[in-house]
Amino acid sequence: MDLRHARTFVTVAELGTVSRAAVRLHIAQPALSRQIRDLEEELDLKLFDRVGRRLVLTGEGEQLLGDCRALLNCASAIGERAQQLRRGDAGILKVAASPQFIEGTLSGFLDRHTQRYPNVRVKVIEAIAWSDTLGMLERGEIHLGQNLLGVVQPDDARFANRPLEVVDLLAACHTPLLLGKSGAIEIAHLATQPLLVLDTSFLSRRTFDAACRLAGIEANVVFESRTPHTLLAMAESGHGVAIVPSAVRIDRYPLHIVRVTDGGKPLREHLAVFWDKRRSLPSYATAFCDMLAEYVREVFPISRPSEP
């Protein structure tokens, strides 16, 4: 159905005459009458009876009036929605992130984002492994995916990214035995300690393993987990030294924390937000990345070495 015909029908029904409807719609009376005839022919129904100088709805016309009003309201709502989308301040944004990033960063950031973009609904999806995030990006199920920058090779042309802050590797234990100078410990000094580490699906674990190989040591791994807080709970009970990223909240555990270094340099990786360059990114997604980067600069690192 032509929306102009529906609008003409509703206006004539409300005003009762062609002349008054033509004035309101700013069209000539013959054109308006032709639109009514075209609509009646399209529907194969008579919509008006002429009573004196007025047009009165037929029974069929009365039943269609409500439907046409609903159609026009729906069309108006679609137009308003499209206008909001053009402005880039309304829509649904789907973001995949690790549990520790959701807990330590997004949980505090989302309220700030909502205050500035109340018409953008952010749907957060938990993704532990990068392979999960990668699949969702490739299938178009999410707009953005968070992980460490190194999970994507520099020559991979499929994805663009927005780097965030760096994440250090921290060692956390129940006793102060590991505290070194300036709250740091060399990775070689961890070799004899019972280590509680993330499994190899985490880039931070692979970075730790690579540093051990370069240092010529074999790490004494006694427990692996996909959940950093499991490692911290084990360390709290005295079962070893937890190796976790500084993006994880450790303050709820009574643990001593030091930064892991190799040759005096911290073991660290950049965080980043990724998106598929082959798909168009809504403008509100770009704004989300900008705000997130600003927020991360304020709050990172989530966990720091203990005071001496």
Side-chain angles (χ1 to χ4, degrees):
M1 178 185 292
D2 191 322
L3 289 176
R4 294 176 303 167
H5 294 171
R7 188 172 292 108
T8 298
F9 168 59
V10 171
T11 304
V12 173
E14 291 174 346
L15 299 181
T17 67
V18 170
S19 58
R20 295 173 62 186
V23 172
R24 174 176 291 185
L25 296 175
H26 305 291
I27 61 176
Q29 291 187 36
L32 187 147
S33 298
R34 186 164 56 251
Q35 289 185 18
I36 292 295
R37 289 196 301 270
D38 290 343
L39 180 59
E40 289 179 328
E41 290 179 3
E42 179 183 355
L43 300 177
D44 195 20
L45 291 172
K46 185 177 182 181
L47 301 176
F48 292 100
D49 287 323
R50 180 170 293 278
V51 179
R53 301 179 60 181
R54 295 184 60 82
L55 293 177
V56 180
L57 285 169
T58 63
E60 293 83 359
E62 288 180 354
Q63 295 184 59
L64 286 176
L65 179 61
D67 294 332
C68 286
R69 282 175 172 155
L71 175 64
L72 294 174
N73 288 336
C74 183
S76 177
I78 292 173
E80 293 173 0
R81 179 68 168 166
Q83 186 178 21
Q84 289 177 337
L85 293 174
R86 286 194 299 272
R87 292 200 308 264
D89 60 357
I92 298 175
L93 179 63
K94 298 177 182 179
V95 181
S98 65
Q100 56 266 26
F101 191 78
I102 295 171
E103 178 201 26
T105 305
L106 287 183
S107 59
F109 168 70
L110 291 177
D111 284 342
R112 177 186 293 192
H113 182 267
T114 299
Q115 290 175 7
R116 189 178 299 182
Y117 292 95
N119 296 320
V120 175
R121 184 167 70 87
V122 180
K123 181 179 180 181
V124 179
I125 301 167
E126 184 177 277
I128 295 179
W130 168 247
S131 58
D132 299 332
T133 304
L134 175 63
M136 288 186 283
L137 282 172
E138 290 181 329
R139 293 189 297 271
E141 296 172 358
I142 57 174
H143 298 97
L144 303 172
Q146 168 272 327
N147 212 294
L148 294 175
L149 183 60
V151 295
V152 174
Q153 297 299 316
D155 58 352
D156 191 334
R158 294 173 297 170
F159 302 105
N161 67 76
R162 173 65 183 269
L164 303 175
E165 293 299 296
V166 296
V167 175
D168 290 335
L169 269 186
L170 302 177
C173 65
H174 189 56
T175 66
L177 297 178
L178 291 177
L179 285 177
K181 294 180 180 180
S182 303
I185 185 171
E186 279 290 306
I187 192 170
H189 297 161
L190 288 173
T192 60
Q193 300 295 328
L195 299 181
L196 315 168
V197 297
L198 295 168
D199 72 20
T200 55
S201 65
F202 288 81
L203 178 62
S204 59
R205 165 65 188 281
R206 299 198 294 273
T207 299
F208 179 79
D209 289 347
C212 288
R213 288 193 298 270
L214 290 174
I217 62 175
E218 184 175 350
N220 180 24
V221 175
V222 298
F223 181 73
E224 295 183 356
S225 175
R226 300 192 82 189
T227 308
H229 289 294
T230 301
L231 305 179
L232 296 171
M234 293 282 284
E236 182 183 6
S237 299
H239 296 294
V241 180
I243 308 299
V244 295
S246 60
V248 175
R249 287 196 177 278
I250 309 178
D251 53 4
R252 66 189 63 176
Y253 299 91
L255 296 171
H256 295 277
I257 308 167
V258 294
R259 184 180 290 110
V260 181
T261 59
D262 182 20
K265 297 181 179 179
L267 290 181
R268 57 177 40 160
E269 294 277 355
H270 265 91
L271 277 174
V273 177
F274 298 90
W275 60 90
D276 190 337
K277 291 195 297 187
R278 297 166 297 182
R279 301 178 184 273
S280 59
L281 196 65
S283 56
Y284 53 77
T286 303
F288 179 91
C289 293
D290 293 339
M291 284 191 65
L292 180 61
E294 177 185 354
Y295 181 80
V296 169
R297 282 195 298 270
E298 296 176 12
V299 302
F300 264 54
I302 300 299
S303 294
R304 306 168 186 268
S306 302
E307 293 294 331

